[in-house]
Amino acid sequence: MQKKDGHTHTVYSHHGSQEVLDAYIERAIALGFDTYVVTEHAPLPEKFLANFVGPKESRDSSAMALSELEDYQNQVAHVQEKYGNQINIKRGFEVDYLLGYEPETKQFLQQHNDWIDEIVLSVHFLPDRHGNLIPIDYQPEALSQYFATELQTPQALFAKYFDVVKKSVGFDMELDVPVRIGHITLIRKYQKYFNLPPFDSVHRQITELLTLILEKGYELDFNAAGFSKPFNGESYPTFDIVAEAHQLGLPLVYGSDAHSVDALGLHFSEMAEFLENISVDK
């Protein structure tokens, strides 16, 4: 696996540390990474924010504000100039796929098309029974409040989630840059809290999703963040899904999903070793 971190964050997340971007880059260099993609959460559409339902704190801490965009871009330019002879730094966003807000998202991306090097496309919000988009990874209490019915039959929740992820893959952003589908098993972030079962009944749905990602020419975010979550303890996606993706020939890119400097590089060695071992066994 290439020593590349394809999913990273900055102070503009508003749900991570206040450490400067320079510190992230210096840590990545010290760890021997050759490529580093800065993928802060892109500003959420104003219409979405105006219609937001769910914990107010999650609305205000899910992404950078539009007013911060220029500062973010300037910070990325700064580290490219300062460290560009030591590490390949790429410009990007983690883009939320928001069901029903595709035109607004596409408009933003087209406006910044010339600036973007790479994209992580992720699903953090699912429609509840009223059609309101609710964050699924903010806190377990929010998940139980808005998806109580689905949690009684978790496979139904899984099916709903993967259906939206499939829609995200089909979303035509009209960008000619590498796109990775982010942390595709994020719905299991609170698996220990809710005692969630394996993905058994949605395995076919997952296989179809992986095939679609491959056909689209996208990559898969091999995300380490789940290992450190107290109610999870596994990668996104899980190793069995990674093995299936690898067998299909789907490119996998390590992502620390770091929201603090000390999260950079976590679990890279064991994730790379897993891929190496299944390559040998293939």
Side-chain angles (χ1 to χ4, degrees):
M1 184 161 62
Q2 182 187 1
K3 202 72 182 287
K4 170 180 179 175
D5 196 334
H7 189 160
T8 68
H9 292 281
T10 71
V11 65
Y12 300 103
S13 286
H14 303 294
H15 54 274
S17 80
Q18 297 299 302
E19 295 161 297
V20 296
L21 184 54
D22 297 58
Y24 285 83
I25 302 300
E26 290 171 7
R27 177 62 175 162
I29 293 169
L31 291 171
F33 280 89
D34 56 61
T35 304
Y36 189 95
V37 192
V38 192
T39 56
E40 191 50 86
H41 296 275
L44 298 169
E46 293 296 324
K47 182 179 176 183
F48 170 74
L49 294 173
N51 295 332
F52 191 87
V53 174
K56 180 179 182 295
E57 297 82 2
S58 67
R59 180 197 66 191
D60 299 333
S61 65
S62 288
M64 79 173 89
L66 186 60
S67 60
E68 296 171 321
L69 178 59
E70 184 176 355
D71 287 342
Y72 168 65
Q73 292 175 322
N74 288 338
Q75 285 297 310
V76 176
H78 160 74
V79 295
Q80 283 182 314
E81 181 177 359
K82 184 175 180 180
Y83 303 102
N85 63 339
Q86 301 176 69
I87 188 170
N88 184 17
I89 301 171
K90 293 183 176 292
R91 308 170 298 185
F93 295 110
E94 181 175 12
V95 176
D96 272 289
Y97 176 73
L98 300 168
L99 195 62
Y101 293 89
E102 293 89 346
E104 291 83 359
T105 302
K106 185 173 182 177
Q107 181 181 27
F108 170 83
L109 293 172
Q110 289 300 308
Q111 288 172 345
H112 301 281
N113 183 23
D114 293 341
W115 186 84
I116 299 168
D117 293 323
E118 299 193 14
I119 288 286
V120 175
L121 181 62
S122 302
V123 172
H124 296 96
F125 298 86
L126 282 186
D128 68 1
R129 61 186 179 279
H130 303 296
N132 299 310
L133 294 181
I134 305 297
I136 60 170
D137 66 330
Y138 176 65
Q139 53 188 207
E141 292 81 7
L143 197 65
S144 60
Q145 177 182 352
Y146 292 96
F147 297 99
T149 300
E150 290 88 345
L151 283 168
Q152 292 176 18
T153 53
Q155 300 295 343
L157 180 63
F158 296 159
K160 172 182 273 194
Y161 169 76
F162 285 117
D163 181 61
V164 175
V165 176
K166 182 179 179 181
K167 286 183 170 65
S168 77
V169 178
F171 172 40
D172 187 2
M173 296 179 285
E174 297 185 11
L175 296 177
D176 188 21
V177 299
V179 175
R180 276 179 297 287
I181 302 303
H183 42 58
I184 67 165
T185 53
L186 184 66
I187 194 63
R188 285 178 62 83
K189 180 177 179 178
Y190 304 120
Q191 60 161 324
K192 295 177 183 177
Y193 185 94
F194 294 110
N195 194 27
L196 296 176
F199 288 127
D200 294 346
S201 73
V202 293
H203 180 259
R204 181 176 178 180
Q205 194 176 5
I206 292 171
T207 299
E208 291 174 352
L209 173 62
L210 296 175
T211 302
L212 181 61
I213 295 171
L214 179 64
E215 291 173 350
K216 190 81 172 184
Y218 288 171
E219 302 167 338
L220 196 61
D221 176 36
F222 192 8
N223 190 301
F227 282 118
S228 304
K229 302 303 180 185
F231 297 119
N232 190 358
E234 60 191 18
S235 63
Y236 306 125
T238 51
F239 275 9
D240 58 331
I241 296 174
V242 168
E244 183 175 357
H246 183 70
Q247 186 175 21
L248 287 171
L250 184 55
L252 291 119
V253 177
Y254 170 81
S256 66
D257 205 348
H259 289 75
S260 62
V261 172
D262 61 6
L264 283 174
L266 289 182
H267 304 284
F268 178 87
S269 295
E270 65 194 85
M271 294 163 73
E273 183 179 0
F274 176 77
L275 275 184
E276 183 178 344
N277 288 338
I278 59 178
S279 296
V280 171
D281 294 340
K282 188 173 179 181

